Amino acid sequence: MTNLSSQVGVLRRGVINSLVAFSIIVSFIILFYKGQEVHVAIGVKHEHQELQAKMAAEHHEQLRGKLPVPDAGQEECNWSTGQWVYDNVSRPLYSGLKCTFMFPEVACDKYGRKDVMYQQWRWQPHGHGCDLPRFDAIRLLEKLKNKRLVFVGDSLNRNQWVSLVCMVEASIPDARHKMHSINGSLLSFKALEYNATIDFYWSPLLLESNGDSPTVQWLEYKIIRADRIEKHASAWRDADIIIFNSYVWWRKHKADMRMKVMYGSFEDGDARLNEVEMIDGFEIALKKLTKWLGENIDKNKTRIFFAGSSPTHSWASNWGGEDSNKCLNETEPIYKDGYKGADYSMMEKAKLYFGTLEEKGIHIQILNITELSEYRKDGHPTVFRKQFHPLTKEQIMNPASYADCIHWCLPGVPDVWNEFLYGYLMYK
């Protein structure tokens, strides 16, 4: 009886061991095939990205032979003329999802934009050996040690400020080395180790105006005070480097749009209100700004820049598209060399007024970022940004009303604006 029980026990253990072995084999087979599916899915995604890169590279190669190349013997590179080169190796310069200072209005990847090619273009100036200096955040901070750089202007200037602090933060990720404060119209970034400050000050019309609140996004009509700049100037008076930008709020969006200009004050009882064309209002602001700079700036201390006009891409028919789409679903730049859609007249006005300061030894450097930005119809947030109210499917399908083709996704085009700024600060 005992011998029979032993035989049954051995048989039972053999069956159990066989079942366990069978289960392991089946599990292995299932995992193997699932792994194959994942591998195939990754392979397909990778193949799609390679195809996108190949298409962009082919466009670039087709374009290369058609573009005029300036004389390599020229004394100085003209960084403003060139072409966009697809580069997914050195771009992007930082992660938009990881930047502490990212603004939701330009955080396109966070708000649903799936294509990433807009982050992976590098600006290549024409001419052999003519390259933008490679951005080095540590060298910039050493340059800014014990100094203050301030961007002054509208939301496009804030767009550039966000880009620069994200570029810098990527090199000093330790939170002990930076500080961020918000005080009304002033945003401040400080690299504590270098005592270097990079600020943004909200002043979209340069003079005192009804747009001075940073929470006011847009106004049906605009009023500037022709003789009032000191409130704003006190925010940049002590700066070592100032970058002004003021165009978009002066642009005409309707044929009958005009600027109201206030002289005097209600307190003194001499207030009067005039109406002028938008471009005339821009001249009034430039005249007051240049007068203030001429009387108050220490030319041996402060370096001043005025950013070029940032182009919009609201009319798709300019590049062969449908106007009803604005710039929605654009994934590549415009490849036509010399493409122009922006109005350069305001930039010419700015150059004219700033030129009057030369006789006082004050040089205003124009950051000519307009042409390179003209090509980037793919670089805007469109509907991929934080909205006051989430857009419905119907609203998303109506880009003519809801797509933002003015500001720029980050990482993206403003990173190159800052490479220009870096190059001027370091080498020119």
Side-chain angles (χ1 to χ4, degrees):
M1 189 71 177
T2 303
N3 188 37
L4 178 61
S5 298
S6 298
Q7 290 178 354
V8 170
V10 170
L11 180 61
R12 184 177 294 161
R13 283 195 298 273
V15 170
I16 292 171
N17 289 339
S18 297
L19 288 172
V20 170
F22 178 74
S23 298
I24 291 171
I25 292 169
V26 170
S27 299
F28 175 79
I29 292 171
I30 291 171
L31 287 173
F32 174 78
Y33 279 107
K34 283 188 175 180
Q36 287 294 97
E37 289 175 7
V38 172
H39 179 74
V40 169
I42 292 173
V44 169
K45 184 178 180 181
H46 181 68
E47 185 179 347
H48 177 63
Q49 290 177 339
E50 284 188 341
L51 181 61
Q52 282 189 321
K54 184 179 178 183
M55 287 170 60
E58 285 175 355
H59 274 297
H60 171 56
E61 289 302 320
Q62 290 169 7
L63 185 64
R64 185 192 296 273
K66 300 176 184 178
L67 295 176
V69 179
D71 180 10
Q74 61 184 346
E75 290 185 7
E76 190 175 0
C77 286
N78 179 5
W79 293 339
S80 300
T81 61
Q83 59 193 6
W84 289 95
V85 176
Y86 184 74
D87 178 357
N88 62 353
V89 177
S90 68
R91 299 285 166 159
L93 299 177
Y94 55 90
S95 166
L97 296 173
K98 293 180 181 178
C99 178
T100 310
F101 309 101
M102 184 61 64
F103 262 61
E105 289 83 359
V106 294
C108 304
D109 46 4
K110 180 179 178 180
Y111 287 92
R113 184 163 180 174
K114 300 302 181 187
D115 65 294
V116 294
M117 282 179 65
Y118 69 92
Q119 301 181 6
Q120 299 170 338
W121 294 90
R122 171 174 53 82
W123 179 249
Q124 179 61 55
H126 291 326
H128 299 294
C130 184
D131 299 302
L132 279 176
R134 185 175 179 83
F135 182 81
D136 186 326
I138 302 304
R139 285 198 64 197
L140 177 65
L141 292 175
E142 289 170 349
K143 180 82 171 179
L144 296 178
K145 190 171 185 178
N146 300 319
K147 293 180 180 177
R148 179 179 180 233
L149 180 155
V150 56
F151 291 90
V152 176
D154 54 31
S155 55
L156 283 163
N157 221 13
R158 185 175 62 203
N159 211 167
Q160 186 175 356
W161 174 83
V162 173
S163 163
L164 185 59
V165 296
C166 286
M167 290 164 74
V168 170
E169 185 198 26
S171 293
I172 53 166
D174 191 325
R176 290 175 300 175
H177 296 315
K178 59 183 183 292
M179 176 175 62
H180 185 217
S181 63
I182 301 177
N183 180 21
S185 297
L186 183 67
L187 305 179
S188 186
F189 170 96
K190 192 163 189 175
L192 301 178
E193 183 180 347
Y194 299 87
N195 191 32
T197 305
I198 303 174
D199 287 348
F200 166 75
Y201 179 74
W202 175 263
S203 179
L205 294 166
L206 302 176
L207 305 179
E208 288 187 31
S209 74
N210 62 337
D212 284 350
S213 169
T215 60
V216 175
Q217 297 300 311
W218 202 247
L219 298 164
E220 184 66 26
Y221 63 91
K222 302 177 180 68
I223 302 174
I224 56 171
R225 303 190 69 170
D227 50 357
R228 299 293 180 95
I229 196 173
E230 191 58 44
K231 182 185 83 172
H232 294 325
S234 63
W236 68 66
R237 181 185 292 273
D238 68 336
D240 300 277
I241 301 161
I242 310 173
I243 302 97
F244 292 102
N245 184 322
S246 182
Y247 293 103
V248 70
W249 279 52
W250 301 97
R251 290 175 185 159
K252 217 169 183 176
H253 299 283
K254 294 188 294 185
D256 61 346
M257 191 173 182
R258 290 166 68 82
M259 172 70 68
K260 290 180 170 61
V261 183
M262 182 177 176
Y263 295 87
S265 68
F266 291 113
E267 295 81 6
D268 296 335
D270 61 347
R272 72 180 194 278
L273 210 60
N274 292 348
E275 270 199 5
V276 299
E277 293 294 335
M278 301 300 289
I279 189 69
D280 296 327
F282 185 55
E283 286 197 63
I284 290 170
L286 288 174
K287 185 176 181 180
K288 184 65 178 179
L289 175 62
T290 50
K291 183 175 186 292
W292 187 92
L293 293 174
E295 294 173 352
N296 294 277
I297 283 297
D298 181 351
K299 63 184 179 183
N300 297 316
K301 175 196 174 187
T302 307
R303 192 164 179 187
I304 305 170
F305 297 86
F306 201 87
S309 179
S310 172
T312 64
H313 291 93
S314 297
W315 303 102
S317 57
N318 288 347
W319 59 84
E322 294 289 335
D323 283 339
S324 59
N325 292 329
K326 290 182 78 171
C327 62
L328 185 66
N329 296 327
E330 297 289 352
T331 58
E332 294 182 65
I334 294 168
Y335 292 103
K336 180 183 176 184
D337 184 43
Y339 168 83
K340 286 189 178 181
D343 179 2
Y344 285 70
S345 62
M346 293 176 72
M347 282 179 62
E348 294 305 317
K349 292 280 186 188
K351 288 178 184 177
L352 183 66
Y353 276 92
F354 290 131
T356 62
L357 293 173
E358 293 287 347
E359 61 187 30
K360 296 185 178 182
I362 300 173
H363 178 62
I364 312 293
Q365 178 68 57
I366 302 293
L367 284 179
N368 189 5
I369 49 80
T370 306
E371 182 177 328
L372 68 93
S373 306
E374 288 261 42
Y375 302 116
R376 293 301 306 276
K377 60 181 171 59
D378 61 310
H380 300 283
T382 64
V383 297
F384 302 110
R385 63 195 293 270
K386 184 178 181 180
Q387 307 284 345
F388 289 111
H389 303 287
L391 298 181
T392 64
K393 288 182 179 179
E394 291 74 18
Q395 288 172 329
I396 291 173
M397 295 300 291
N398 182 19
S401 297
Y402 296 98
D404 178 358
C405 298
I406 295 175
H407 300 95
W408 301 91
C409 293
L410 293 178
V413 174
D415 303 337
V416 176
W417 301 354
N418 284 317
E419 287 178 307
F420 270 52
L421 177 62
Y422 173 81
Y424 278 116
L425 290 175
M426 292 298 183
Y427 303 105
K428 294 194 178 186

